[in-house]
Amino acid sequence: MGLQCLCGTTLQTLKLAVIPSSSSSSSSSSRFVFGPLAKVYFPFHRRTASAQRPPFPLLLRAFSAPAVQATPTTTTTKTPDEKVLKPQWKAAIDFKWIRDNKDAVAANIRNRNSNANLELVLELYEKMSNLQKEVERLRGERNLVANKMKGKLEPSERQKLIEEGKNLKEGLLALEEDLLKLTDDLQQEAQCIPNMTHPDVPIGGEDCSTIRKTYGSPREFIFPVKDHLQLGKQLDLFDLDAASEVSGSKFYYLKNEAVMLEMGLINWTLSEVMRRGFIPLTTPEIVRSSVVEKCGFQPRGTNTQVYSIEGTDQCLIGTAEIPVGGIHMDSILSESLLPLKYVAFSHCFRTEAGAAGTATKGLYRVHQFSKVEMFILCRPDESDSYLEELIRIEEDLFSSLGLHYKTLDMASEDLGAPAYRKYDIEAWMPGLERFGEISSASNCRDYQSRRLGIRYRPSEPSSATPKKGKSSLAPPQFVHTLNATACAIPRMIVCLLENYQQEDGSIIIPEPLRPFVGGLELIAPKSR
């Protein structure tokens, strides 16, 4: 992509690592290297009152083994003739549930316009199960031979057992290599299967999405309306031409009051969301490719939105959802810590592959931008209610700024692989003469946590009588994860400039933002 960054004295090139793909142009129908199917039909019903805790709770990482073991992509040599390529990571996919609910899974794949190959997944699972049984049988025979050799034996009998043990070992090594390869193939195919879908989600493409709520009405102007590009140029608020020369298209410099407006929006949003009990974070903006995959994004491929760093296993983040999701990776949390609510500020980087047309002009669709993101980890029985909380927070924020917007219940083909249900908010942009997306909120249920390995241990002990020497603790369960955009800065600037423009070319600052921009009430034209 022609982007470069300096790391010490080493110049590393950011580019898309393209691999053969059968992806369509639709992000929801791509063959994602995605994680497991969320087990949505059998939610956990146990409810336990959360203990009172301080605003910034101590976050404990489990001392036990990781919930999902991530294995580096390396070639491990056991013998000169045996080389086994290990998978990079494994998701805790419930293959038995997929098999037992084949019809529902197949219908969901069709509804999402995904090209996941369910028949191949089931075929590979059957082969893996049979091969696993054969491996276990040979291991049993090998152990039996080993036990026989412990006693007193005639030399001929011992030699016979040695030969038998050798043959069993060689056969077992070959089968174990086949099993590892088959398990990896199964993982790669199964990770293409999208999350299941909420039964109330409209079926079809984006135009099938339904309006959940409409707030306000378009402002009536008594003068010719300007778009944010005209306003920004006249008020000297940003410079796209210089940014294009320095960095390329879809980059920008913010200047003068626009800089104050960006900082004010960030601080105002953080303060508003923190008042609702969210823990503030700033995040790393470079993460491992495996974390991107585990969160449900496609780091490589022809239509990827992710910038990969050449020669490394790292990527630039497209949203703070990715590094926030990774905080508790491979952990077992105490139920008393849930829900964990984070609000994170970060810069975001997106290739915007395939984007074209008037919607790409100006600040609406750019390669780098600032964003404040909300993220929740909770018990499975609470995720639906927390999705409603997230969308209420977003609506409250945008209502307080006086924006005219509509909230959409997004259709199945527009959900993307991780989302069980997703709401989008589109605000009216009078200069562009259309609604534009400014926010979304998604419930991913256990789709991400099954790949990230994030579980919690219920506080209630197991109801079953434990066996002697066994713990009475309840088994850990996967958490549910949710994410929502509190404020995408460039698009919010577009909304504010276009909706609050005055006939003389000035821009009124909405009252809630004024304390966060040094008391500024008006962006006035510069005197010549």
Side-chain angles (χ1 to χ4, degrees), residues 426-437:
E426 296 182 353
W428 179 249
M429 301 177 180
L432 298 178
E433 297 183 322
R434 64 178 178 84
F435 283 96
E437 180 189 341

Side-chain angles (χ1 to χ4, degrees), residues 158-449:
R158 181 174 294 278
Q159 186 61 36
K160 181 180 178 181
L161 289 175
I162 289 174
E163 290 297 325
E164 184 178 356
K166 180 180 178 182
N167 291 335
L168 285 170
K169 180 180 179 181
E170 290 176 353
L172 187 58
L173 284 173
L175 286 183
E176 286 176 337
E177 181 176 349
D178 291 342
L179 181 61
L180 186 60
K181 176 65 167 59
L182 191 57
T183 301
D184 191 23
D185 291 344
L186 176 59
Q187 276 281 327
Q188 296 302 313
E189 288 297 328
Q191 288 167 18
C192 297
I193 297 176
N195 200 349
M196 294 300 282
T197 306
H198 191 286
D200 293 340
V201 166
I203 304 302
E206 185 177 0
D207 56 347
C208 295
S209 302
T210 58
I211 297 178
R212 166 187 163 103
K213 176 182 179 179
T214 300
Y215 179 84
S217 57
R219 176 186 168 190
E220 295 184 2
F221 292 87
I222 59 174
F223 55 88
V225 175
K226 299 173 183 176
D227 64 24
H228 72 282
L229 278 169
Q230 295 170 295
L231 294 165
K233 183 176 182 180
Q234 292 173 4
L235 295 171
D236 196 23
L237 297 180
F238 39 79
D239 191 332
L240 281 74
D241 294 335
S244 180
E245 292 295 324
V246 171
S247 301
S249 63
K250 297 188 179 72
F251 288 91
Y252 58 93
Y253 285 99
L254 292 184
K255 300 171 64 179
N256 299 314
E257 293 92 342
V259 176
M260 298 172 63
L261 194 55
E262 175 174 38
M263 299 301 141
L265 282 166
I266 293 167
N267 288 320
W268 170 73
T269 305
L270 285 172
S271 66
E272 288 295 311
V273 179
M274 287 171 62
R275 284 198 306 110
R276 293 164 168 86
F278 284 68
I279 302 167
L281 294 174
T282 59
T283 73
E285 292 170 1
I286 294 177
V287 297
R288 300 185 188 278
S289 300
S290 59
V291 179
V292 178
E293 294 171 0
K294 291 174 184 181
C295 287
F297 296 89
Q298 185 183 25
R300 294 177 177 83
T302 54
N303 290 316
T304 183
Q305 296 299 312
V306 179
Y307 283 111
S308 297
I309 304 178
E310 188 179 39
T312 76
D313 69 340
Q314 296 171 313
C315 301
L316 300 182
I317 65 170
T319 170
E321 171 190 345
I322 297 169
V324 177
I327 289 180
H328 300 292
M329 189 167 59
D330 300 328
S331 294
I332 300 177
L333 304 169
S334 169
E335 185 180 27
S336 64
L337 291 177
L338 300 180
L340 281 170
K341 300 180 179 182
Y342 293 109
V343 55
F345 167 74
S346 75
H347 296 100
C348 305
F349 306 86
R350 299 184 184 180
T351 70
E352 297 297 350
T358 57
T360 66
K361 294 181 179 179
L363 300 182
Y364 186 80
R365 195 177 297 279
V366 290
H367 288 313
Q368 176 183 336
F369 58 96
S370 302
K371 183 159 71 81
V372 180
E373 183 81 0
M374 297 179 286
F375 194 91
I376 295 178
L377 303 94
C378 67
R379 296 199 308 264
D381 59 320
E382 294 184 324
S383 62
D384 286 341
S385 64
Y386 281 122
L387 180 61
E388 297 300 318
E389 178 179 324
L390 287 173
I391 198 66
R392 281 197 305 271
I393 292 173
E394 291 177 336
E395 291 172 344
D396 288 347
L397 291 173
F398 306 141
S399 298
S400 68
L401 294 179
L403 301 180
H404 168 46
Y405 64 81
K406 59 183 179 180
T407 304
L408 302 173
D409 192 351
M410 300 308 293
S412 57
E413 292 181 21
D414 198 62
L415 292 182
Y420 171 68
R421 192 173 199 178
K422 179 166 79 85
Y423 298 136
D424 277 5
I425 294 181
E426 296 182 353
W428 179 249
M429 301 177 180
L432 298 178
E433 297 183 322
R434 64 178 178 84
F435 283 96
E437 180 189 341
I438 59 171
S439 181
S440 67
S442 300
N443 182 2
C444 297
R445 295 176 75 85
D446 63 357
Y447 186 90
Q448 293 176 325
S449 63

Side-chain angles (χ1 to χ4, degrees), residues 22-88:
S22 57
S23 302
S24 70
S25 60
S26 170
S27 63
S28 61
S29 62
S30 299
R31 275 187 75 85
F32 298 109
V33 186
F34 279 170
L37 171 70
K39 195 168 173 182
V40 300
Y41 292 139
F42 304 101
F44 302 98
H45 294 291
R46 180 184 296 118
R47 293 185 61 88
T48 304
S50 297
Q52 294 294 320
R53 55 192 186 280
F56 300 88
L58 176 65
L59 307 180
L60 302 177
R61 181 171 293 273
F63 291 104
S64 59
V68 179
Q69 184 64 45
T71 308
T73 306
T74 56
T75 300
T76 303
T77 304
K78 295 182 179 179
T79 68
D81 298 323
E82 183 195 11
K83 293 184 179 181
V84 180
L85 186 65
K86 294 186 177 181
Q88 184 179 14

Side-chain angles (χ1 to χ4, degrees), residues 109-151:
I109 290 173
R110 290 193 301 271
N111 291 340
R112 286 177 175 254
N113 195 26
S114 168
N115 56 2
N117 192 337
L118 177 59
E119 291 300 327
L120 180 56
V121 169
L122 295 176
E123 177 186 337
L124 291 171
Y125 176 55
E126 185 70 18
K127 288 181 179 179
M128 187 198 71
S129 298
N130 292 335
L131 187 57
Q132 181 69 54
K133 292 176 183 177
E134 181 64 15
V135 167
E136 292 299 329
R137 185 186 69 79
L138 287 183
R139 285 173 180 169
E141 290 187 13
R142 180 194 61 185
N143 293 338
L144 186 61
V145 169
N147 287 333
K148 287 181 180 179
M149 292 185 64
K150 293 179 181 178

